[in-house]
């Protein structure tokens, strides 16, 4: 059978900002297990290949796939459905939808007539079993972890167990992507590649959706397996920098030491960054020193709020003092620091937002990102906002990370939340110390290019365009 995997356009995620074209590793993992099972696999990454609809239709016609797998997040869902509609008009094929959004709301996601099957949760084993089932015309009820239609009824099979041995999954099939021109914000080096070394996070934050696809149990690849992938990226693709996209890389401290030692044993000297964010309560001086010894130059920490009350209410289960300690140690070790904040959490008021702005200035990270909460369907915070009539729209294309608020709060309107975001950026960045600091950290021509392009677009959108 001919298998086609598609990454739909994700411009909505960026709310009009120029998107960072990043390789969809989830899709690359699905491709790797499918290819290893001797299926004929192709990938279309619509944004990265800059395909028009006409060009996309032509590609579908040329490939003539038997099964099409489409991945999507919440703001990309409508685009995923459009892709499936085009596929159905172009060829008689089975369409399969996977990713975080269909995992969270599978029965809703399968409703469009263009979607035949939904894969829930980790998709590697499920998708492979599904292919074999379709190929042999066996009963879909035998495949755990899917939702499908039969006689106008939606049928859900039992949940699939999480993959415990992550080493058994082959490395992402990066070679199947038509272009390798992917960019990673704030990289020092152009030849930057992301990897995922673990799955699952013990945290139970009310706004987090990844816990529903990867679970709370921390599962990890062995140090040797991780370093083997890094060697491959260096030898085959000329990697100069590695970005680790784990939800919480430092959960198992011994493994962090093992990866450092394995890198040293293999005489690998390469830059590392952690742009996805680390939990401050899993960081101490010993761990941060170890990251530095690995070659890490930049870390991001999910702070979320400067109000202890807000942190408690979101079940972040971390003290502000612990966050301060983590930043203090990171700075002492001369690591670049990012801090992620979030406005619009439950219980938020203008007073708690002001606490967050003050806390951000106190921490003084190199980069502070003030995001507005996007309450993704299926999360605890979404359910509470909906129950209390605080959601303003359920049009998922509005749920991108840089789009305006989709909710209000008892003490804050959506417009007020948006205005506070603008205020936060002004108060944090428009200080002489911070302006000089930003200039100083532009240590490579590639980083200068990335930062200037994004900064210009971001501040133009934030302060001069109508939302």
């Amino acid at each position: 059978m001919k298998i086609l995997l598609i990454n739909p356009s994700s411009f909505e995620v960026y709310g009009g900002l120029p998107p960072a074209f990043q390789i969809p590793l989830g899709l690359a993992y699905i491709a790797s297990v499918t290819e290893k099972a001797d299926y004929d696999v192709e990938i279309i990454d619509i944004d990265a290949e800059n395909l028009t609809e006409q060009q996309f239709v032509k590609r579908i016609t040329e490939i003539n796939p038997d099964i099409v797998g489409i991945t999507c997040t919440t703001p990309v869902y409508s685009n995923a459905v459009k892709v499936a509609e085009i596929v159905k008009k172009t060829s008689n094929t089975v369409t399969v939808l996977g990713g975080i959004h269909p995992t969270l709301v599978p029965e809703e996601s399968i409703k469009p007539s263009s979607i035949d099957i939904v894969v829930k949760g980790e998709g590697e084993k499920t998708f492979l079993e599904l292919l074999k089932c379709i190929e042999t015309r066996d009963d879909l009820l035998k495949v755990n972890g899917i939702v499908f239609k039969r006689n106008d009824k939606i049928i859900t099979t039992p949940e699939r167990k999480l993959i415990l041995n992550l080493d058994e999954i082959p490395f992402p099939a990066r070679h199947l992507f038509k272009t390798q021109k992917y960019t990673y914000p704030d990289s020092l080096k152009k030849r930057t590649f992301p990897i995922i070394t673990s799955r699952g996070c013990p945290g139970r934050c009310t706004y987090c959706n990844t816990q529903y696809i990867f679970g709370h149990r921390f599962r990890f690849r062995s140090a040797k397996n991780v370093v083997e992938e890094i060697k491959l990226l260096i030898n085959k693709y000329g990697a100069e920098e590695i970005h680790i996209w784990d939800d919480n890389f430092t959960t198992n401290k011994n493994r962090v030491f093992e990866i450092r030692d394995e890198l040293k044993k293999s005489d690998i000297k390469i830059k590392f960054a952690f742009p996805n964010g680390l939990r401050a309560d899993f960081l101490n001086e010993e761990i941060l020193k170890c990251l530095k010894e690995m070659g890490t130059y930049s870390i991001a920490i999910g702070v979320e709020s400067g109000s202890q009350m807000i942190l408690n209410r979101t079940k972040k289960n971390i003290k502000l003092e612990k966050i301060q300690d983590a930043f203090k140690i990171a700075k002492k070790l001369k690591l670049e620091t990012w801090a992620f904040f979030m406005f619009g959490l439950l219980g938020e008021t203008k007073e708690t937002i002001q606490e967050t702005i003050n806390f951000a200035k106190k921490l003084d990270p190199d980069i502070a990102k003030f995001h507005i909460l996007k309450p993704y369907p299926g999360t605890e915070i979404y359910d509470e906002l909906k129950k209390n009539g605080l959601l303003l729209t359920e049009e998922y294309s509005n749920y991108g990370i840089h789009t305006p608020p989709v909710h209000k709060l008892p003490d804050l309107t959506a417009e007020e939340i948006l205005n506070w975001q603008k205020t936060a950026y002004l108060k944090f960045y428009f200080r002489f110390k911070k302006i000089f600091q930003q200039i100083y950290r532009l240590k490579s021509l590639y980083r200068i290019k990335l930062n200037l392009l994004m900064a210009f677009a971001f501040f133009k959108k934030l302060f001069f365009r109508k939302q």
Side-chain angles (χ1 to χ4, degrees):
M1 291 192 302
K2 183 76 175 180
I3 314 301
L4 174 62
L5 302 176
I6 302 174
N7 189 34
S9 176
S10 60
F11 275 97
E12 286 84 355
V13 176
Y14 296 92
L17 291 174
F21 299 124
Q22 300 179 3
I23 190 168
L25 279 183
L27 206 66
Y29 271 115
I30 297 295
S32 69
V33 296
T34 306
E35 187 180 48
K36 187 178 180 181
D38 292 328
Y39 286 101
D40 188 358
V41 191
E42 287 203 39
I43 295 175
I44 294 178
D45 189 347
I46 291 176
D47 284 346
E49 296 177 45
N50 196 27
L51 295 179
T52 64
E53 185 172 323
Q54 187 177 7
Q55 290 170 327
F56 177 64
V57 169
K58 184 181 178 184
R59 287 281 299 279
I60 295 289
T61 305
E62 291 171 346
I63 296 168
N64 191 25
D66 297 293
I67 297 175
V68 170
I70 307 166
T71 185
C72 78
T73 56
T74 295
V76 175
Y77 174 67
S78 60
N79 280 350
V81 173
K82 289 176 187 175
V83 163
E85 289 171 351
I86 293 171
V87 168
K88 286 293 189 183
K89 289 177 183 176
T90 309
S91 62
N92 183 25
T93 185
V94 177
T95 53
V96 182
L97 188 66
I100 186 64
H101 183 77
T103 293
L104 288 165
V105 284
E107 293 192 358
E108 176 187 310
S109 299
I110 202 173
K111 284 181 180 178
S113 59
S114 58
I115 307 295
D116 296 319
I117 302 168
V118 158
V119 168
K120 300 187 300 176
E122 292 179 322
E124 288 89 358
K125 288 187 175 182
T126 305
F127 190 68
L128 204 55
E129 284 186 22
L130 180 60
L131 295 184
K132 292 175 181 176
C133 190
I134 293 172
E135 187 176 26
T136 59
R137 304 195 179 202
D138 208 345
D139 193 343
L140 292 178
L141 284 169
K142 294 182 178 180
V143 182
N144 287 347
I146 65 170
V147 178
F148 64 96
K149 300 166 184 169
R150 178 177 289 171
N151 299 325
D152 295 325
K153 290 185 178 180
I154 294 176
I155 299 171
T156 301
T157 65
E159 297 291 321
R160 178 172 295 277
K161 292 181 180 178
L162 294 170
I163 301 170
L164 297 182
N165 181 12
L166 298 183
D167 281 6
E168 70 184 29
I169 305 174
F171 299 150
R174 293 178 171 88
H175 60 281
L176 292 179
F177 290 83
K178 294 290 186 292
T179 178
Q180 294 297 326
K181 294 179 180 178
Y182 292 98
T183 59
Y184 299 92
D186 209 48
S187 303
L188 281 175
K189 303 293 184 179
K190 187 174 183 179
R191 305 299 295 167
T192 296
F193 293 84
I195 63 171
I196 297 173
T197 78
S198 66
R199 295 179 179 179
C201 176
R204 296 180 182 272
C205 304
T206 59
Y207 52 82
C208 178
N209 55 7
T210 57
Q211 60 185 298
Y212 299 103
I213 195 167
F214 291 135
H216 297 290
R217 179 174 180 177
F218 183 71
R219 296 161 292 133
F220 54 87
R221 296 164 55 192
S222 66
K224 286 187 177 180
N225 184 265
V226 171
V227 173
E228 282 303 311
E229 184 179 4
I230 293 170
K231 286 179 184 176
L232 173 71
L233 292 173
I234 293 171
N235 297 330
K236 185 174 181 177
Y237 298 99
E240 301 172 290
E241 182 171 330
I242 301 293
H243 285 189
I244 296 181
W245 280 2
D246 294 26
D247 288 322
N248 198 10
F249 179 79
T250 56
T251 298
N252 184 309
K253 294 179 180 179
N254 287 335
R255 190 185 71 116
V256 180
F257 302 141
E258 289 170 4
I259 291 174
R260 175 201 61 191
D261 295 342
E262 194 67 30
L263 287 166
K264 186 176 181 181
K265 190 168 82 174
S266 300
D267 195 30
I268 293 175
K269 296 178 178 64
I270 194 168
K271 291 185 178 297
F272 287 93
F274 289 82
N276 201 40
L278 297 166
R279 280 186 63 107
D281 49 348
F282 284 87
L283 298 175
N284 56 29
E285 188 157 1
E286 187 181 27
I287 286 293
L288 287 169
K289 277 184 178 178
C290 182
L291 295 182
K292 179 84 172 180
E293 290 165 1
M294 276 174 53
T296 300
Y297 74 92
S298 176
I299 65 168
I301 296 176
V303 179
E304 319 316 348
S305 178
S307 163
Q308 190 63 58
M309 180 273 290
I310 295 292
L311 291 181
N312 294 344
R313 188 159 178 180
T314 60
K315 301 181 182 177
K316 182 79 175 180
N317 293 328
I318 190 169
K319 298 295 182 184
L320 293 173
E321 292 78 14
K322 180 62 180 175
I323 296 171
Q324 285 180 264
D325 289 344
F327 275 93
K328 192 178 297 183
I329 297 167
K331 288 182 179 184
K332 185 176 77 172
L333 294 172
K334 295 184 169 22
L335 289 167
E336 289 186 0
T337 55
W338 286 54
F340 296 137
F341 300 94
M342 195 182 299
F343 291 158
L345 293 161
L346 285 168
E348 194 88 272
T349 63
K350 61 182 181 180
E351 288 79 17
T352 61
I353 289 181
Q354 188 60 63
E355 286 183 68
T356 297
I357 295 172
N358 293 342
F359 192 58
K361 291 166 72 174
K362 185 175 183 180
L363 293 176
D364 197 32
D366 293 286
I367 298 289
K369 299 298 285 289
F370 300 95
H371 293 303
I372 293 173
L373 166 72
K374 288 302 182 298
Y376 294 115
T379 60
E380 188 175 332
I381 203 164
Y382 174 91
D383 292 339
E384 190 166 347
L385 287 169
K386 187 170 183 177
K387 177 184 174 183
N388 292 303
L390 297 171
L391 285 179
L392 301 175
T393 178
E394 293 187 69
E395 172 54 54
Y396 294 140
S397 61
N398 294 325
Y399 281 58
I401 190 170
H402 295 303
T403 54
V406 297
H407 74 295
K408 61 181 179 179
L409 292 169
D411 295 307
L412 290 168
T413 66
E415 185 178 1
E416 286 173 327
I417 296 172
L418 190 61
N419 287 335
W420 272 110
Q421 182 192 41
K422 295 176 182 179
T423 299
Y425 276 112
L426 283 171
K427 288 191 173 182
F428 185 83
Y429 283 105
F430 285 84
R431 298 176 287 158
F432 284 115
K433 173 187 174 183
K434 187 55 63 177
I435 291 170
F436 285 122
Q437 187 184 51
Q438 294 305 303
I439 295 170
Y440 176 75
R441 66 185 295 278
L442 298 176
K443 298 173 183 176
S444 73
L445 290 174
Y446 186 64
R447 178 181 265 189
I448 291 172
K449 176 185 173 182
L450 290 177
N451 276 257
L452 287 178
L453 287 173
M454 182 54 71
F456 177 76
F458 182 74
F459 282 101
K460 184 178 179 182
K461 170 183 169 55
L462 198 63
F463 297 107
F464 300 107
R465 289 185 187 173
K466 291 183 179 180
Q467 299 295 329

